[in-house]
Amino acid sequence: MSIFSCKHVAKSINKSLEQQLSLKESLTVRMHLLMCQNCRFFKRQMLFLRRVSRLYSNRSAYQSDGPQAQLPPKSKQRLKNLLQNLRDSKDSES
Amino acid sequence: MNQGNSSLRTGPESWVDEHGDVLFRFALARVGKVDVAEELVQDTFLAALRAYDQFRGDSQERTWLISILKRKIIDSFRNKKCDSNTPHDQSVDSWLESLFDNRGQWKNAPQTWGVRPEAALETEEFWNMFQNCLNKLPTRMATSFRLRELDNYSAEDICKEQQLSTSNLWVILHRARIRLWKCLDLNWFNGEQGS
């Protein structure tokens, strides 16, 4: 990888969030960051994004994010019956 | 009859109406298959019913059910085999390429997000915007990103679930992060509503 390529360095920065970089790669990133303010912003903002993501997962919106899908009505009925039956048998045990 | 039993009477069947869709959506966003998501919801309710006596009510019912669902999702990943034969993803992400010139320099230099970007986290608008950005990600990227960054699942578990090699996974995560980063930048920190 080229020490002058922001494209490569950006990729390495993201890789470093997942795994330890090789000595060579990590030195290249560090040298590049010394001379490139753009990538220094990028790195700081990537770390911020990670923090935002972790915080988001503690919020209630997180529990209902994703595609606006619904459990099919048939499955709902089947689940209700199942829970009803199991609860009844649990009650009669106690 | 103790109190636990009387609350059991009003609990379980109402779960399906009150939490069924939310649990289903949560699962679907992570496993991507309707039938698998349905099964996970069922397993969650069954496990919840068995553990109901231990539910102290010190957390919300929904939070409690989600925590059970998250464990069920991990279990379903672990039942799969890691596919080490997956060929390395050689596809080119032309959107990502377009951010750089042919010497690998940023076409648009990243701008500062201010001295205290944390201030944004205190506003509801920021979080709505973040959720919108998340929902705009292509499905595969969104799934991997959710599993890794929101749910904090290990890379190994995600690779099993998604049938990916680890290097494929981090390429996907890289692409997802850059999209989110750009979305945040445009819609918040350096866009029209920038604060």
Side-chain angles (χ1 to χ4, degrees), chain B residues 11-181:
Chain B
E13 299 88 26
S14 66
W15 290 347
V16 179
D17 285 326
E18 280 174 35
H19 311 298
D21 289 336
V22 169
L23 293 177
F24 178 66
R25 238 171 268 154
F26 190 96
L28 190 61
R30 283 151 183 88
V31 299
K33 290 195 182 120
V34 171
D35 55 335
V36 179
E38 278 185 38
E39 202 178 314
L40 285 165
V41 173
Q42 175 180 313
D43 291 351
T44 300
F45 284 144
L46 294 183
L49 191 66
R50 277 196 299 275
Y52 199 61
D53 299 335
Q54 281 111 57
F55 175 55
R56 301 243 172 249
D58 50 2
S59 63
Q60 280 180 350
E61 202 168 60
R62 179 171 295 175
T63 310
W64 176 63
L65 289 169
I66 293 269
S67 72
I68 297 174
L69 175 59
K70 284 175 81 172
R71 282 201 300 276
K72 293 286 164 198
I73 293 173
I74 289 204
D75 289 347
S76 83
F77 291 175
R78 293 200 172 142
N79 289 333
K80 294 189 178 180
K81 289 269 184 299
C82 211
D83 188 358
S84 53
N85 297 324
T86 323
H88 184 66
D89 186 356
Q90 302 285 2
S91 69
V92 173
D93 184 340
S94 48
W95 179 83
L96 196 149
E97 295 294 319
S98 76
L99 299 179
F100 301 93
D101 67 19
N102 51 18
R103 282 162 42 247
Q105 309 293 305
W106 296 100
K107 276 188 196 158
N108 294 306
Q111 301 295 310
T112 176
W113 282 4
V115 281
R116 225 182 129 254
E118 301 81 32
L121 311 183
E122 288 153 26
T123 68
E124 203 56 40
E125 290 89 343
F126 175 82
W127 292 108
N128 292 336
M129 183 270 315
F130 183 72
Q131 192 175 16
N132 284 336
C133 289
L134 208 51
N135 287 336
K136 273 190 255 170
L137 288 178
T139 317
R140 200 164 141 97
M141 282 181 208
T143 309
S144 298
F145 186 86
R146 281 200 173 90
L147 294 169
R148 183 72 194 98
E149 298 286 17
L150 306 188
D151 304 340
N152 210 3
Y153 289 134
S154 74
E156 197 195 343
D157 282 338
I158 302 169
C159 289
K160 283 182 194 170
E161 150 64 18
Q162 308 259 296
Q163 307 279 289
L164 294 167
S165 66
T166 36
S167 62
N168 276 346
L169 176 66
W170 69 251
V171 168
I172 292 173
L173 288 174
H174 173 57
R175 292 172 178 179
R177 285 195 189 109
I178 295 231
R179 274 174 177 73
L180 281 171
W181 167 69

Side-chain angles (χ1 to χ4, degrees), chain A residues 71-88, chain B residues 11-20 41-42 45-46 49:
Chain A
L71 198 57
K74 257 192 202 165
S75 313
K76 277 191 185 167
Q77 198 49 53
R78 194 176 50 79
L79 280 173
K80 279 185 201 170
N81 295 340
L82 184 68
L83 289 172
Q84 175 91 51
N85 289 339
L86 285 169
R87 200 211 59 183
D88 287 349
Chain B
E13 299 88 26
S14 66
W15 290 347
V16 179
D17 285 326
E18 280 174 35
H19 311 298
V41 173
Q42 175 180 313
F45 284 144
L46 294 183
L49 191 66

